[in-house]
Amino acid sequence: MQPDVSLDTRATQEWLYQLWRAAGSNAEEARITAEHLVGANRAGHDSHGVSVVPGYVRSLARPSLTVGTVGIVRRISNCETLFASVVTLHD
């Protein structure tokens, strides 16, 4: 599958860091979140990478996602929506 978009890795990671800082994450949480999202794309796991950010931002507005907290997964049920997107990150 051809990428939908190609983004610079460092610029994307910095943008994500700034996004999570603006959303209320502390510096460490924002750094880790940005690294993990970019890392997922770099590892070929696009469905767990940058393409999930719009959904996270929508969840912040509800608020069904809260930054600065620790969560525990107790049960996993069906996904409401399945989607596919390919984002290629490059140096």
Side-chain angles (χ1 to χ4, degrees), residues 1-7 9 12 16 36-56 82-90:
M1 184 185 293
Q2 291 296 315
D4 296 330
V5 65
S6 180
L7 303 170
T9 299
T12 302
L16 289 168
H36 285 212
L37 290 167
V38 167
N41 281 97
R42 299 277 300 179
H45 305 294
D46 295 318
S47 63
H48 290 63
V50 176
S51 66
V52 300
V53 172
Y56 287 169
L82 295 176
F83 61 92
S85 179
V86 177
V87 176
T88 300
L89 298 171
H90 60 82

Side-chain angles (χ1 to χ4, degrees), residues 20 52-72 80:
W20 298 123
V52 300
V53 172
Y56 287 169
V57 171
R58 282 191 298 274
S59 293
L60 284 168
R62 287 189 194 126
S64 57
L65 176 66
T66 305
V67 298
T69 60
V70 176
I72 298 171
E80 291 179 24

